[in-house]
Amino acid sequence: MSFKVTLIPGDGIGPEVSSAAQRVITASRAEIEWEVVEAGETCIAQYGTPLPDHVLEMIRRNKVALKGPITTPIGKGFRSVNVALRKQLELYANVRHLRNLPNIPSKYDNVDIVVVRENTEDLYAGIEHMVGRDAAESIKIITREASERIGRYAFELARREGRKRVTIVHKANIMKLSDGLFLESVRSVARDYPEIECDDRIVDAMCMHLVQIPEQFDVLVLPNLYGDIVSDLVAGLVGGLGVAPGANIGETGAVFEPAHGSAPQIAGKNLANPLAMILSGVEMLKYLGFVKEAQLVEKGIEHVLKQRDYITPDLGGVSGTKEMTDAIIEAMSNIG
Ligand code: NAD
């Protein structure tokens, strides 16, 4: 079966890492036809918006996109394209599979955690205003419907992947109504999955436990803001943003993207680590049912990491984005 996939190269290092992922996925022989479209800074001059309607229409039509990072100005300027995409396409689950890879510098060696973050509400609903000149108010939205939906996603993922435990992360001791509703809603879903252990942690204690005993955790499910923060924390436990893939999943489509941003300081210098983007492509292959092809890419990556001859500077090597990508493709052709 063949699929048409939208490829958004993105800003900064986006085009370099997107090209790497596209080349590796093509080398896996998964039957994918790419439709490339720009979003982000480059669109503003031509369309007056970083997210033109035709981009959304194309993703809706193809149902699946692989996306490079897109710059978001801080404090002023256009709103985040990433947040807009998740909202417009109802991509309600942000999912990050984070595990140790061979030879990636990390304080731990047996972390294998899936972070499932609610993607559509909480303080990220974008409802905020000034109260007079010297105070600002942001509104936190938590609904039963969205909380049950993300809870069900987390438990279905745990069942599908043979995982043993789902931990609900919250601050319901302080935000008794909003986080209390999140906790109660996910707990109610847990009753349908008696074979999977369900427990919960207050978010601050969770951060400490993740740093002390990360190997004890399996699947985490969190509201949007804590999910955003904790998913970067867990990325740090397995070697940082350069190796952290991500996925935004909805009922009818999905956008796969690395956890890292557009890293403008190293853009265009052939210095970016392509792994997070390639691993996001691996998640996409699995989502589309190309399991063997995904495993081939994973083996190619493991070979290159074990050998350490072609790795980028952030991993302690001296190779460029392109050379590391070439080495992964070469390893795949020797394996496959
Ligand atoms: P960043 O992830 O771009 O960079 C943080 C640090 O990590 C920098 O030192 C950078 O050089 C390094 N880094 C990131 N990716 C790397 C890679 N693949 N290889 C080697 N080093 C890498 O985060 P930031 O600086 O906070 O954000 C820069 C821009 O990216 C901002 O405009 C932000 O809004 C945007 N951003 C976009 C997304 C997205 O598109 N989903 C996600 C996060 C940030």
Side-chain angles (χ1 to χ4, degrees):
M1 178 124 176
S2 98
F3 291 93
K4 206 181 247 188
V5 166
T6 302
L7 179 70
I8 301 174
D11 302 318
I13 59 171
E16 295 162 80
V17 293
S18 298
S19 158
Q22 187 182 14
R23 289 179 56 217
V24 168
I25 291 169
T26 303
S28 79
R29 298 210 190 87
E31 283 189 47
I32 285 176
E33 189 189 326
W34 302 96
E35 250 192 321
V36 181
V37 69
E38 296 291 339
E41 278 179 328
T42 46
C43 286
I44 294 179
Q46 197 177 352
Y47 302 103
T49 164
L51 184 59
D53 285 346
H54 67 265
V55 177
L56 282 168
E57 277 157 29
M58 190 191 285
I59 303 175
R60 283 201 180 99
R61 195 169 60 241
N62 292 336
K63 299 192 167 48
V64 175
L66 182 61
K67 174 190 152 298
I70 291 181
T71 300
T72 308
I74 294 175
K76 54 185 167 45
F78 61 84
R79 286 189 62 196
S80 164
V81 171
N82 310 304
V83 174
L85 266 178
R86 292 167 199 165
K87 232 177 171 168
Q88 300 269 349
L89 301 170
E90 238 344 82
L91 303 172
Y92 69 87
N94 182 286
V95 185
R96 289 201 197 159
H97 282 81
L98 298 162
R99 64 183 174 91
N100 286 116
L101 292 165
N103 278 333
I104 299 280
S106 154
K107 293 193 170 63
Y108 308 92
D109 55 14
N110 45 3
V111 175
D112 182 1
I113 294 175
V114 189
V115 182
V116 178
R117 161 187 167 196
E118 206 290 324
N119 230 358
T120 63
E121 52 182 33
D122 194 356
L123 280 160
Y124 287 37
I127 307 169
E128 56 175 9
H129 49 257
M130 294 302 295
V131 181
R133 277 172 39 137
D134 300 320
E137 192 171 63
S138 296
I139 311 244
K140 171 166 167 137
I141 307 283
I142 299 282
T143 65
R144 190 182 303 282
E145 189 187 358
S147 304
E148 286 182 358
R149 181 171 64 172
I150 198 67
R152 194 160 295 286
Y153 185 91
F155 279 95
E156 282 294 322
L157 178 145
R159 184 176 271 175
R160 194 168 62 240
E161 297 188 4
R163 290 179 178 266
K164 305 271 178 291
R165 176 176 168 208
V166 173
T167 303
I168 311 166
V169 184
H170 61 88
K171 188 82 185 174
N173 53 331
I174 304 295
M175 278 161 279
K176 294 183 194 298
L177 296 183
S178 53
D179 281 19
L181 179 60
F182 183 83
L183 177 60
E184 176 198 319
S185 304
V186 181
R187 271 188 183 149
S188 74
V189 168
R191 290 188 206 109
D192 294 340
Y193 302 83
E195 79 280 18
I196 297 164
E197 186 191 335
C198 175
D199 63 353
D200 70 275
R201 289 278 192 292
I202 291 173
V203 63
D204 39 354
M206 181 77 223
C207 290
M208 186 186 69
H209 289 144
L210 279 170
V211 172
Q212 288 182 325
I213 43 167
E215 62 284 349
Q216 294 192 7
F217 294 96
D218 196 349
V219 178
L220 311 182
V221 59
L222 316 89
N224 209 341
L225 176 61
Y226 312 143
D228 193 3
I229 297 165
V230 169
S231 56
D232 273 20
L233 189 159
V234 180
L237 300 177
V238 299
L241 293 176
V243 297
N248 298 289
I249 313 270
E251 301 288 357
T252 56
V255 175
F256 296 83
E257 62 178 343
H260 62 70
S262 54
Q265 317 87 330
I266 57 167
K269 296 182 179 161
N270 194 33
L271 289 174
N273 180 348
L275 281 187
M277 187 78 195
I278 296 174
L279 287 167
S280 303
V282 167
E283 300 289 330
M284 183 189 82
L285 288 174
K286 290 180 183 166
Y287 176 87
L288 292 172
F290 292 118
V291 177
K292 267 195 267 164
E293 291 82 351
Q295 285 166 348
L296 178 60
V297 177
E298 285 175 328
K299 282 186 194 147
I301 290 172
E302 282 190 15
H303 179 85
V304 168
L305 290 178
K306 279 185 186 147
Q307 238 190 1
R308 288 190 68 80
D309 289 338
Y310 297 98
I311 53 173
T312 44
D314 61 305
L315 301 179
V318 292
S319 287
T321 313
K322 185 173 174 308
E323 291 66 34
M324 185 168 178
T325 308
D326 290 343
I328 294 168
I329 293 171
E330 170 76 17
M332 285 164 60
S333 74
N334 292 335
I335 297 160

